[in-house]
Amino acid sequence: MTDTESLKAALAPIAAGRATVRVEGGKASIVLDVTGLGPEARDEMEADVRRTAEAAPGVAEVRVLLTSERRTRRLIAVASGKGGVGKSTIAANLAIALARRGRRVGLVDADIYGPSQTRLLAVEGIRPQAREKTLIPVQTKFGVPLLSMGGLVPEGQAIAWRGSMAGGALGQMVDADWGDAEVLIMDLPPGTGDLQLTMVQKHKPAGAIIVSTPQDLALIDATRAIDLFNKVNVPIVGVIENMSGYACPHCGEVSDPFGSGGAEAAAGRMGLPFLGRVPLELAIRTASDAGDPPAAGNGPQAETFAALAARLDDWLTANGG
């Protein structure tokens, strides 16, 4: 006959300390803690535990209960005061670069009305699955799971939703089964209106990154975005200056079609960290549009995003590990 201690010992190599076991009168009751496990790992562990228990001498019935603690994930909002500054491209490449540093990262495309992350991460046409009304993020070849409205509606279809519906959709994406992801990069819609305010108040990001181009008009709107986060007490991780400087591919001369240093100067005036610049380069645009973000490669563009991710990683470490 198998008793509680002997079954516990048999399950130890499989459950790795996650199983609480009780055996009474041929009935084995097992509580299995699956906190942090992805769907496949969770199902595999449950099956292995059940199979081992059923094979134990004298065990006629096996009951397995799965439990999971709600993980505290940190949301990092990537925001801009206006559209057209490359925020989504920055968010995708930043998520990939952060994952390459060893962080477990997920990406939420919260730009409900203009989702683009499915193209950037090469998962167009792949719909996320659901388990018990909980969405399961789409796995990407970059090791960054993704949820986006772009995966839930047909390509090219307008998302004519009121704010409450959009907010509900975002809630389902944030509360999805993110497995062991510890950080969610959230690509917010541009602007500082009711939708952005509702999203930030409800989901309370741990920090926000502001993306701006160097010219004055973009900086005016970026300042509004910073003010929005200040009003709801969300810390600003820092400011990124995108499309900063253009090197001619023929002669190498650098010009500044959008100006230079404006975002860095604005960050300095407001006492905010400046995370770095991303140049205006055709290679970044073409690779990202083709679903092959440069942060996943080894070229100079990858180094640019790696440096940004390193500063975000340092901020995360300094603010909770």
Side-chain angles (χ1 to χ4, degrees):
M1 285 290 292
T2 298
D3 59 13
T4 296
E5 291 304 317
S6 60
L7 182 56
K8 187 184 299 183
L11 295 177
I14 303 168
R18 292 174 175 265
T20 301
V21 180
R22 185 177 66 185
V23 178
E24 290 183 348
K27 180 190 297 183
S29 300
I30 303 166
V31 178
L32 191 60
D33 181 5
V34 294
T35 301
L37 297 181
E40 290 184 7
R42 179 180 60 206
D43 293 346
E44 183 179 352
M45 180 177 287
E46 180 187 6
D48 289 345
V49 164
R50 185 179 296 277
R51 186 165 46 249
T52 300
E54 288 174 344
V59 174
E61 181 182 349
V62 175
R63 293 182 179 179
V64 179
L65 173 66
L66 304 184
T67 65
S68 179
E69 294 181 8
R70 185 178 179 88
R71 294 181 64 90
T72 301
R73 295 187 179 91
R74 289 185 286 179
L75 270 64
I76 299 296
V78 179
S80 63
K82 64 180 298 179
V85 300
K87 167 186 58 62
S88 293
T89 299
I90 294 290
N93 281 280
L94 186 61
I96 292 170
L98 189 62
R100 294 186 74 178
R101 292 184 60 83
R103 291 278 185 178
R104 299 184 297 278
V105 183
L107 179 58
V108 179
D109 190 356
D111 197 344
I112 299 292
Y113 301 117
S116 56
Q117 294 296 350
T118 53
R119 169 165 292 189
L120 290 167
L121 269 65
V123 290
E124 284 184 295
I126 302 176
R127 291 182 62 86
Q129 301 299 308
R131 179 186 289 110
E132 297 177 356
K133 298 184 180 181
T134 299
L135 288 173
I136 301 172
V138 174
Q139 297 300 318
T140 72
K141 62 183 179 181
F142 309 107
V144 176
L146 167 70
L147 278 175
S148 167
M149 283 303 298
L152 295 170
V153 299
E155 183 178 358
Q157 177 178 306
I159 304 175
W161 289 0
R162 296 188 183 278
S164 58
M165 290 181 65
L170 176 62
Q172 288 188 335
M173 290 192 285
V174 172
D175 295 333
D177 186 352
W178 289 99
D180 63 352
E182 57 181 318
V183 177
L184 296 182
I185 301 296
M186 187 161 62
D187 179 12
L188 282 181
T192 55
D194 179 68
L195 178 60
Q196 291 80 2
L197 180 61
T198 300
M199 288 179 174
V200 171
Q201 287 179 325
K202 182 175 180 179
H203 300 290
K204 194 66 175 179
I209 293 173
I210 306 299
V211 179
S212 178
T213 49
Q215 78 266 35
D216 290 343
L217 285 177
L219 291 169
I220 290 170
D221 292 319
T223 301
R224 293 191 180 103
I226 290 167
D227 184 57
L228 171 70
F229 288 107
N230 286 338
K231 285 180 176 177
V232 292
N233 298 315
V234 172
I236 304 296
V237 178
V239 177
I240 294 175
E241 183 172 286
N242 195 25
M243 307 181 195
S244 179
Y246 172 74
C248 175
H250 304 293
C251 68
E253 180 180 354
V254 176
S255 59
D256 298 298
F258 296 109
S260 177
E264 182 175 12
R269 288 194 300 270
M270 291 182 282
L272 298 174
F274 180 67
L275 300 181
R277 295 183 177 85
V278 178
L280 179 62
E281 287 192 16
L282 182 62
I284 294 177
R285 197 273 298 170
T286 54
S288 296
D289 285 355
D292 189 21
N298 297 303
Q301 295 85 12
E303 294 175 4
T304 297
F305 292 108
L308 297 174
R311 294 185 178 96
L312 173 56
D313 198 13
D314 289 343
W315 187 91
L316 289 166
T317 300
N319 291 270

